[in-house]
Amino acid sequence: MATPLSASRLLKALRDEGLEVREYRSWRSHNRNHKGPWGPVNGVMIHHTVTSGTDATVRLCYEGHSSLPGPLCHGVIDKKGVVHLVGNGRANHAGLGDGDVLRAVMNETALPPDNEADTDGNRRFYGFECVNLGDGRDPWPEAQKLAIEKVSAAICRAHGWTHRSVIGHLEWQPGKVDPRGFSMNTLRNRIAGRLGKKPDGPPKTSPKPPPRYEPFPGADFFRAGRNSKIITAMGKRLVAEGCGRYRVGPGPRWSEADRQSYAAWQRKLGYSGSDADGIPGATSWKQLKVPNV
């Protein structure tokens, strides 16, 4: 038995395992704790959604429906292997299941047949819904199966559990068939292999692309003698907006024509008096959308 991971610890554990994780709406405080206890926790339960499409599935698992309020799990694993966190705390995913199965999970021994529904599983298991129709024909992409493996390993690693703490819904509650399309024993073997190694570490993030528009360089930038490609780009935008007051140009050197042109832009935006003096300000500059140079 273990105390449930906090939202921050769960998020870190998943990312440290090399997963791409997206936080959906107010998942950190979204739960059913007012309907029953959450914890101590003993394992991870895997489900299939009987749905298609990531966005609609994530929304459904967050909101639930008229007969079963959300969250319907803690996270959704999509076909591309991205994890969408939708709940933190008690969630409506496991329902009543076999107490003998729970004891086997707690002791990390072989699972008995699930032939009773006498124990609250929502209290005891993290739940992850995997986007799949569950008809035995909808494929399970390797990226998705790898993410299921990593999610399970991340939580087991955080709690010091073995692969035997991961079960399918079909192993918990009589009559359930999910997840349909792969073997839970095969999944557990993959998890065991992963737990024998160090986690992959957070996924590498690509550098942010340069901004599309030139950031405001400050009012002091626009003074006599300033020579810059930014001024040329600004002038071209002023001309495009119908505010050009140039006889020649625009060019890179700040000039009276630039000031008059910018004053025309300020007036076009509704400024007047000293607010339309031709010296760029942060708000009008942002609206002008000067291309990055």
Side-chain angles (χ1 to χ4, degrees):
M1 291 190 291
T3 300
L5 298 174
S6 67
S8 295
R9 285 193 63 201
L10 174 61
L11 181 61
K12 184 178 187 302
L14 295 175
R15 286 181 170 159
D16 284 351
E17 205 67 41
L19 289 155
E20 180 181 348
V21 184
R22 297 179 186 173
E23 301 180 71
Y24 188 73
R25 290 162 59 176
S26 302
W27 78 274
R28 290 171 178 262
S29 57
H30 189 45
N31 55 59
R32 301 291 294 168
N33 291 359
H34 60 291
K35 291 295 184 179
W38 167 233
V41 287
N42 302 100
V44 180
M45 189 175 296
I46 305 300
H47 307 258
H48 65 225
T49 60
V50 198
T51 63
S52 62
T54 297
D55 292 346
T57 299
V58 172
R59 184 171 62 252
L60 172 65
C61 288
Y62 183 91
E63 296 177 353
H65 47 79
S66 58
S67 60
L68 193 65
L72 305 184
C73 57
H74 297 95
V76 176
I77 303 174
D78 70 22
K79 292 279 192 179
K80 295 180 179 180
V82 178
V83 181
H84 305 259
L85 293 175
V86 298
N88 175 46
R90 185 181 177 91
N92 280 331
H93 73 98
L96 294 176
D98 196 313
D100 292 334
V101 172
L102 177 61
R103 282 183 283 276
V105 172
M106 292 171 68
N107 295 325
E108 298 193 313
T109 56
L111 297 176
D114 54 323
N115 53 26
E116 294 182 286
D118 58 6
T119 302
D120 178 12
N122 294 335
R123 174 181 185 175
R124 299 286 190 167
F125 290 94
Y126 297 93
F128 286 84
E129 289 279 0
C130 308
V131 179
N132 191 277
L133 293 174
D135 57 5
R137 297 186 299 274
D138 191 12
W140 291 89
E142 178 54 31
Q144 187 178 32
K145 290 192 288 186
L146 179 60
I148 299 168
E149 170 193 326
K150 287 184 174 183
V151 163
S152 303
I155 295 175
C156 287
R157 201 186 299 275
H159 284 297
W161 298 335
T162 75
H163 62 290
R164 290 188 176 275
S165 288
V166 182
I167 66 172
H169 200 194
L170 79 171
E171 296 171 310
W172 170 247
Q173 189 178 93
K176 295 297 183 181
V177 299
D178 55 319
R180 187 179 183 188
F182 63 85
S183 162
M184 283 303 302
N185 284 330
T186 300
L187 174 63
R188 280 188 283 267
N189 288 338
R190 290 178 58 156
I191 296 166
R194 178 164 292 277
L195 288 172
K197 302 178 293 185
K198 291 183 178 180
D200 291 348
K204 294 180 180 179
T205 56
S206 301
K208 290 184 178 180
R212 289 180 58 194
Y213 302 116
E214 199 65 45
F216 180 55
D220 290 343
F221 179 85
F222 302 97
R223 55 180 173 77
R226 176 69 69 187
N227 192 306
S228 171
K229 291 186 292 184
I230 295 175
I231 294 173
T232 303
M234 176 202 74
K236 289 179 178 179
R237 283 291 298 127
L238 291 169
V239 170
E241 290 290 340
C243 298
R245 300 295 184 266
Y246 302 97
R247 292 183 179 179
V248 179
R253 186 177 294 276
W254 177 256
S255 68
E256 178 62 17
D258 290 306
R259 191 192 68 76
Q260 291 179 8
S261 299
Y262 204 93
W265 168 242
Q266 289 168 324
R267 289 192 297 272
K268 182 176 180 178
L269 294 178
Y271 294 103
S272 61
S274 61
D275 292 329
D277 61 1
I279 303 301
T283 301
S284 60
W285 182 267
K286 183 177 181 180
Q287 291 174 287
L288 185 60
K289 293 185 169 77
V290 177
N292 182 262
V293 294

